């Protein structure tokens, strides 16, 4: 990894279009207003970009609606080839995408490169799925009529994405929508819109027709998305973000009975049993907790460790955490970048203080680093009281609270004692126990002896209040298809 020169940053930022992308054209916001995108490592302004109004949002939906019919009729192979070309282009521009994400979101460059590989993979995966949309033909049970079932694109979609994975959270929606034949309006997070704007350029260069993808950046999310949710031309909302905002958007989606996909918050338990390979569990914990500085919906939020190994596990984890270097993500050797903003940093500190006040013991970290930037060091806390807020709220930061259990049943009860159900991690060498846990823990995804489960080929998503629907895998494209059934008269009737 090399430290990036300020000159390279400026050159890259100069290539990013800072306008709205509507109907294949770049244009300023109707109001002429802009808003600033900041570097969370310094607080400096990176770029000022167009601040869309409600009218701009509706213009984007006009464009998506106008493009929908032709896009639906475009051959699946053509849709797939555009995605494939975009995949190649994103990979070829790995350094640009990685640097842009590091600048606007803060993650270290090495992690940003990892996200480019992961995010691009959705384009490749769905380029392959585009040509595998099928249906069925069967004979009705009475032997008379024939049943024809086929799939059609849902229609114009609205995508609202979060700031934590600026590329992957966009491609996880855009990839399957393009493959299925849907057009779309994308509203990226106001903290990290630049990656989506660069992606829009790449998709246009890859041959995506005007109007299929439209991007509206705004500092006032609900005033742009609200009117779209009330517009009968919109047929689907796919949202990734907090459960709180997701609930509100679900309510708003009821008026037009929209199809919805909701990828919401998590409170992942990380279970370590007495028979686990402890070093492997610590390796897994490093990934599950510190990937993206803990700012991941899949981040391990609670470490639930058998009482016989808890002290050893916590002390090994604290040693590893304590050796990490906090620095701006562009710097050589940066392991941990800044949190996204001061609010996030303050919340993480608040959760640590609350855990301490209930008897928690901080083994490493525990207080924010001096500015500039919103840095918080990796922190391990043991002896955390059952009612500590950090066990019940998504920390979205690099803090690992450790609690203990004595029986498998107790571990399962603790793991399930949350309204969330996105992902869980378990470390054990006992195969039968792994299978039992697969059946007992209430989640959409389970990692067994692994600290990362995300994979473009797998169905990503949660149960309970972690969301609805799945992204990725063979399931991912179904979110953008609706099923149509045709009843055909008995083809032999005319012979009798
Ligand atoms: P957030 O505050 O819910 O925001 C997500 C997106 O929704 C942003 O684009 C935001 O725009 C927009 N938004 C906020 N309020 C809105 C409203 N009233 N109407 C319409 N749009 C609105 O979440 P975040 O802080 O960006 O992301 C962190 C959360 O995302 C965490 O809870 C995390 O677990 C979750 N997440 C889930 C997954 C998953 O796959 N399950 C993946 C990644 C993240 P602004 O940026 O302008 O506020």
């Amino acid at each position: 990894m090399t430290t990036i020169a300020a000159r390279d940053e400026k050159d890259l930022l100069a290539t990013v279009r800072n306008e709205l992308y509507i109907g294949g054209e770049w244009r300023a916001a109707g109001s002429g207003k802009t808003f600033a995108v900041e570097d969370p490592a310094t607080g400096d302004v990176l770029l000022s970009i167009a601040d869309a109004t409600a009218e701009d949002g509706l213009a984007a939906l006009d464009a998506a609606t106008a493009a929908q019919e032709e896009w639906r009729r475009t051959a699946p192979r053509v849709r797939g080839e555009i995605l494939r070309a975009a995949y190649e282009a994103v990979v070829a521009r790995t350094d640009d995408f990685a640097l842009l994400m590091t600048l606007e979101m803060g993650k270290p460059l090495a992690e940003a490169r990892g996200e480019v590989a992961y995010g691009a993979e959705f384009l490749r995966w769905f380029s392959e799925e585009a040509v595998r949309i099928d249906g069925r033909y069967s004979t009705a049970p009475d032997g008379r009529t024939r049943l024809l079932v086929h799939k059609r694109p849902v229609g114009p979609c609205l995508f609202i994405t979060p700031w934590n994975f600026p590329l992957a959270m966009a491609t996880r929606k855009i990839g399957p929508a393009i493959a299925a034949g849907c057009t779309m309006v994308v509203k990226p997070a106001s903290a990290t819109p630049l990656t989506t704007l660069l992606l829009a350029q790449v998709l246009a260069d890859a041959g995506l027709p005007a109007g299929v993808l439209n991007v509206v950046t705004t500092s006032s999310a609900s005033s742009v998305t609200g009117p779209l949710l009330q517009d009968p031309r919109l047929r689907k909302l796919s949202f990734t973000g907090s459960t709180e905002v997701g609930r509100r958007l679900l309510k708003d989606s009821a008026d037009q009975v929209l199809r919805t996909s909701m990828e919401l918050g998590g409170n992942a338990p990380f279970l370590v049993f007495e028979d686990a390979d402890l070093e492997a569990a610590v390796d897994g914990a490093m990934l599950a907790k510190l990937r993206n500085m803990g700012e991941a919906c899949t981040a391990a939020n609670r470490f639930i460790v058998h009482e016989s190994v808890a002290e050893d596990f916590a002390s090994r984890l604290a040693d590893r955490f304590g050796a990490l270097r906090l620095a701006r993500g562009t710097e050589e050797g940066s392991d941990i970048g800044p949190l996204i903003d001061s609010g996030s940093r303050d919340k993480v500190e608040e959760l640590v203080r609350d855990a301490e006040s209930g008897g928690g013991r901080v083994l490493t970290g525990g207080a924010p680093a001096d500015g500039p930037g919103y840095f918080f060091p990796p922190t391990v806390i043991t002896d955390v009281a059952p009612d500590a807020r950090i066990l019940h709220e998504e920390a979205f930061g690099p803090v690992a609270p450790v609690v203990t259990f004595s029986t498998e049943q107790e571990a399962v009860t603790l793991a399930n004692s949350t309204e969330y159900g996105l992902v869980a991690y378990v470390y054990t060498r006992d195969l039968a126990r792994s299978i039992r846990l697969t059946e007992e823990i209430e989640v959409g995804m389970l990692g067994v002896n692994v600290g990362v489960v995300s994979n473009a080929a797998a169905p990503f998503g949660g149960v309970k209040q972690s969301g609805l629907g799945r992204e990725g895998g063979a399931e991912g494209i179904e979110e953008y298809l609706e099923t149509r059934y045709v009843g055909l008269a008995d083809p032999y009737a005319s012979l009798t």
Side-chain angles (χ1 to χ4, degrees):
M1 188 162 65
T2 50
T3 302
I4 299 291
R7 187 190 61 252
D8 298 334
E9 296 173 13
K10 288 212 173 75
D11 288 349
L12 173 63
L13 290 169
T15 67
V16 179
R17 301 295 299 249
N18 60 352
E19 294 170 302
L20 310 177
Y21 184 60
I22 298 177
E25 286 174 3
W26 295 92
R27 54 161 109 158
S31 63
K33 288 193 180 147
T34 60
F35 68 98
V37 180
E38 289 179 7
D39 178 344
T42 60
D44 294 343
V45 173
L46 295 168
L47 209 59
S48 285
I49 63 167
D51 196 355
T53 59
E55 289 70 34
D56 295 321
L58 287 167
L61 182 57
D62 290 346
T65 306
Q68 179 58 70
E69 190 53 23
E70 194 175 337
W71 186 236
R72 177 176 75 80
R73 293 173 190 277
T74 301
R77 178 64 78 200
V78 173
R79 303 199 299 257
E81 296 291 352
I82 291 169
L83 281 173
R84 178 72 197 202
Y87 161 75
E88 310 274 357
V90 170
V91 170
R93 294 190 65 180
T94 294
D95 287 349
D96 289 349
F97 274 101
L99 178 55
L100 199 56
M101 282 195 281
T102 293
L103 291 177
E104 65 177 345
M105 186 274 167
K107 69 184 77 183
L109 265 181
E111 280 201 50
R113 287 203 183 92
E115 184 179 342
V116 177
Y118 172 54
E121 197 55 39
F122 287 101
L123 302 174
R124 175 159 69 170
W125 174 263
F126 286 107
S127 77
E128 293 156 352
E129 292 296 282
V131 292
R132 316 225 185 285
I133 300 167
D134 54 16
R136 67 178 195 269
Y137 174 83
S138 61
T139 304
D142 65 8
R144 296 222 292 271
T145 53
R146 298 295 182 267
L147 316 179
L148 180 67
V149 178
H150 68 119
K151 305 279 177 73
R152 291 166 54 91
V154 169
C157 304
L158 171 62
F159 297 157
I160 303 178
T161 56
W163 48 263
N164 60 344
F165 291 99
L167 180 66
M169 297 304 97
T171 55
R172 217 162 70 167
K173 300 182 192 306
I174 292 169
I178 288 177
C182 294
T183 60
M184 65 211 83
V185 176
V186 185
K187 194 221 73 71
S190 53
T192 60
L194 306 182
T195 304
T196 307
L197 292 170
L198 183 59
L199 180 64
Q201 284 175 250
V202 165
L203 281 160
D205 292 346
L208 193 68
V212 175
L213 171 89
N214 306 277
V215 181
V216 284
T217 51
T218 178
S219 64
S220 175
S222 60
S223 58
V224 172
T225 61
L228 299 186
L229 296 177
Q230 298 306 319
D231 192 311
R233 296 173 300 169
L234 189 77
R235 292 315 314 140
K236 172 161 181 110
L237 166 67
S238 179
F239 170 75
T240 298
S242 59
T243 295
E244 186 193 349
V245 173
R247 271 192 212 107
R248 205 173 317 150
L249 292 173
L250 271 173
K251 283 183 189 149
D252 292 347
S253 300
D255 290 341
Q256 298 295 332
V257 193
L258 289 181
R259 281 275 297 270
T260 56
S261 299
M262 292 277 149
E263 297 287 351
L264 308 179
N267 181 5
F270 188 106
L271 277 57
V272 183
F273 286 85
E274 62 277 25
D275 63 350
D277 173 341
L278 217 55
E279 207 43 41
V282 172
D283 287 344
M286 294 295 290
L287 286 171
K289 180 70 257 183
L290 294 186
R291 192 167 73 112
N292 231 36
M293 292 82 76
E295 293 173 315
C297 54
T298 50
N301 207 51
R302 299 169 291 152
F303 289 83
I304 301 172
V305 186
H306 191 267
E307 58 195 5
S308 65
V309 294
E311 207 176 311
D312 193 3
F313 174 83
S315 115
R316 290 193 207 194
L317 195 62
D319 286 349
R320 296 274 292 274
F321 274 21
L324 297 174
R325 178 162 177 251
L326 268 68
R328 187 172 187 243
T330 51
E331 275 184 37
E332 177 100 41
S334 163
D335 297 308
I336 302 285
L339 297 180
I340 191 70
D341 54 28
S342 59
S344 294
R345 183 197 51 196
D346 295 349
K347 180 181 174 191
V348 170
E349 188 183 13
E350 218 179 281
L351 293 177
V352 172
R353 296 287 84 83
D354 172 74
E356 268 189 321
S357 70
R361 213 159 38 93
V362 173
L363 300 193
T364 187
D370 292 337
Y374 314 114
F375 291 91
F376 199 96
T379 298
V380 177
I381 319 177
T382 57
D383 303 315
V384 179
D387 62 349
R389 282 177 54 197
I390 197 158
L391 300 179
H392 305 280
E393 295 177 30
E394 194 178 26
F396 240 55
V399 182
V402 180
V403 298
T404 61
F405 68 88
S406 51
T407 65
E408 183 179 313
Q409 186 49 52
E410 195 187 343
V412 169
T413 304
L414 284 171
N416 288 340
S417 62
T418 168
E419 76 258 28
Y420 296 106
L422 188 62
V423 61
Y425 306 90
V426 302
Y427 274 77
T428 175
R429 288 189 171 106
D430 182 336
L431 178 61
R433 171 183 278 149
S434 302
I435 296 171
R436 282 196 299 278
L437 295 171
T438 303
E439 296 185 12
E440 296 300 323
I441 300 183
E442 297 159 353
V443 282
M445 303 175 287
L446 185 74
V448 178
N449 297 321
V450 292
V452 176
V453 295
S454 306
N455 192 311
F460 188 106
V463 299
K464 294 160 78 176
Q465 295 192 32
S466 285
L468 301 167
R470 294 294 179 266
E471 291 191 322
E475 291 80 358
I477 199 166
E478 294 296 329
E479 303 279 320
Y480 298 94
L481 295 169
E482 59 193 12
T483 301
R484 179 170 292 182
Y485 149 63
V486 182
L488 298 168
D490 182 353
Y492 294 95
S494 54
L495 294 180
T496 55

